[in-house]
Amino acid sequence: MFESLISISTKSEKIRLLFVKIILLLFIVSSCKSTTALMRKDAQLADAKATKETKYLYNRINALSKVGYAFGHQDATAYGMGWKNDGKLYKSDVNEVTGDHPAVHGFELGHLELGHTQNLDTVNFGLMKTLIRKAHQKGGIITISWHPNNPVSLKSSWDHTPAVYAILKGAPLHQKYRAWLRKVADFMLDLKDASGNAIPVAFRPFHEMSGPWFWWGEGHCSSEEYKKLWQETFDILTNDYEVHNLLYIYAPDVVEDSAGYLKYYPGDNFVDMLGIDIYHKRSAEEFMTILKKDLAILKKVATDKKMPYALTESGLNMIPIPNWWTQVLDKEIGGTGIAWALFWRNAWPNHYFAPFTGQGSSEDFVTFKNLPHVLFLKDIKKIR
Ligand code: BMA
């Protein structure tokens, strides 16, 4: 384009155009530079060797939290009310109701450590990888939780036999724990996109530690043991097993104050993002009060640490309140700066957290989806 313009111009015109060309080139070069600098500056991730796709995910999470919050659903495409993915489908209850899929797709690794072919919620790990690749390819964000069995008793995550001390470095079951992490690492490393790049994952291990229900939770290990477990897990995954496609999310359950929030916090060098899990368990009023209080705590801690933050699990089982999405949930979480809110799985007729066709809160859910600050898959696709 420049050449043809130059050919029709006089000598002085030629000089003028050359000047414009140089300015344009300088502008392009400098804007590329500043984008790179911005990314580096923004993405001070815990893992110094985090891949560029992982840094990109981190920047994208930050960017979308400025626009609104993303809607997430656990196992959205793996199964739903009355259906289970046989490997040939790509559907979600959420898409059936609203015409769009969730923006954030939650998956769960529990029982991977045991070498099982399916997780504790009967999702085949091969299928899970396919669904992760698909959600990523469509522009979705992947977050993964892990409910490992108790390494001492080998019973479930909910078995309280003291175990954290037993898997730390130098302890009797440390090698066994390393072997468990090898399986987690292999899974994460196998998540490749069409170009062969590792798909970045927001990993949320050992969650809800402020509550007493898991073997790594309150009352079953000391906070020092918990911190060590997190730090050693991070070290083994990144340094020993060379997994560099993870953002690490620290996510307690409901807490009283920021000291409570940070009780088990392993340190800024081991965490990229902060979360909190808050369910609507009793009255709407109580849920709203807890959301207000705990999201303020989360926001304060995250702002101090300059980290993105999210409502990493939430929901009202069976959603019996027809306008729950717009009149209860969004009233408290809208405008809080959370990057996403993830709702738990649609498991059974008495254990579901997202609407499906005909469910009582479906209409309100569509209104909720259409709120400008509520982001579904097609909305976050535009945020690059
Ligand atoms: C719980 C329930 C369980 C499930 C676990 C891990 O909240 O949904 O049925 O096994 O999460 O996904």
Side-chain angles (χ1 to χ4, degrees), residues 74-75 79 108 119-121 145 147 158 214 279 313 344-345 347-348 351 353:
Q74 182 74 0
D75 286 342
Y79 52 80
E108 160 62 38
N119 80 356
L120 77 165
D121 302 324
S145 53
H147 290 73
W158 293 265
F214 298 130
Y279 281 85
E313 269 186 50
W344 210 239
R345 58 201 205 98
W348 309 290
H351 187 63
F353 297 86

Side-chain angles (χ1 to χ4, degrees), residues 36-253:
T36 319
L38 194 71
M39 281 197 56
R40 284 214 191 101
K41 191 173 128 285
D42 281 355
Q44 293 292 347
L45 301 185
D47 177 8
K49 291 190 181 162
T51 62
K52 70 173 193 311
E53 290 77 18
T54 311
K55 290 179 185 171
Y56 175 71
L57 171 63
Y58 180 81
N59 285 334
R60 194 163 172 240
I61 290 169
N62 270 320
L64 79 82
S65 72
K66 308 282 183 289
V67 182
Y69 61 88
F71 174 84
H73 192 207
Q74 182 74 0
D75 286 342
T77 52
Y79 52 80
M81 207 44 60
W83 62 274
K84 194 164 179 349
N85 199 326
D86 56 5
K88 296 186 197 95
L89 296 166
Y90 198 75
K91 70 181 255 178
S92 65
D93 283 346
V94 166
N95 187 46
E96 304 281 303
V97 173
T98 67
D100 198 4
H101 291 286
V104 176
H105 291 236
F107 291 96
E108 160 62 38
L109 294 186
H111 289 185
L112 179 75
E113 74 282 357
L114 306 176
H116 291 188
T117 52
Q118 58 177 37
N119 80 356
L120 77 165
D121 302 324
T122 72
V123 181
N124 176 281
F125 287 113
L127 172 68
M128 196 185 295
K129 286 179 187 170
T130 305
L131 297 178
I132 288 174
R133 285 186 196 110
K134 186 98 179 177
H136 173 73
Q137 177 223 322
K138 285 172 170 280
I141 292 174
I142 311 301
T143 183
I144 293 187
S145 53
W146 184 28
H147 290 73
N149 270 16
N150 183 307
V152 172
S153 68
L154 289 182
K155 292 180 186 159
S156 78
S157 283
W158 293 265
D159 180 80
H160 301 151
T161 307
V164 174
Y165 79 93
I167 56 175
L168 296 176
K169 277 188 184 149
L173 296 182
H174 182 65
Q175 289 310 321
K176 174 190 173 138
Y177 181 60
R178 286 182 78 90
W180 281 15
L181 284 182
R182 181 71 259 176
K183 295 195 172 77
V184 171
D186 288 344
F187 183 94
M188 299 297 192
L189 291 169
D190 199 30
L191 298 174
K192 297 274 170 60
D193 68 13
S195 324
N197 296 318
I199 295 171
V201 169
F203 185 39
R204 186 171 58 98
F206 302 122
H207 63 304
E208 298 177 6
M209 81 305 289
S210 60
W213 40 90
F214 298 130
W215 57 261
W216 57 86
E218 173 82 21
H220 313 306
C221 63
S222 70
S223 55
E224 287 317 306
E225 285 167 341
Y226 179 95
K227 289 177 196 178
K228 269 205 188 116
L229 174 63
W230 185 292
Q231 292 161 356
E232 291 180 7
T233 300
F234 173 88
D235 183 47
I236 295 166
L237 287 176
T238 56
N239 296 327
D240 297 347
Y241 297 161
E242 297 185 51
V243 178
H244 300 301
N245 55 328
L246 304 183
L247 293 176
Y248 288 80
I249 311 183
Y250 168 80
D253 197 81

Side-chain angles (χ1 to χ4, degrees), residues 315-329:
L316 166 62
N317 190 27
M318 299 170 75
I319 332 156
I321 302 175
N323 58 3
W324 187 78
W325 300 96
T326 60
Q327 299 308 308
V328 178
L329 177 80

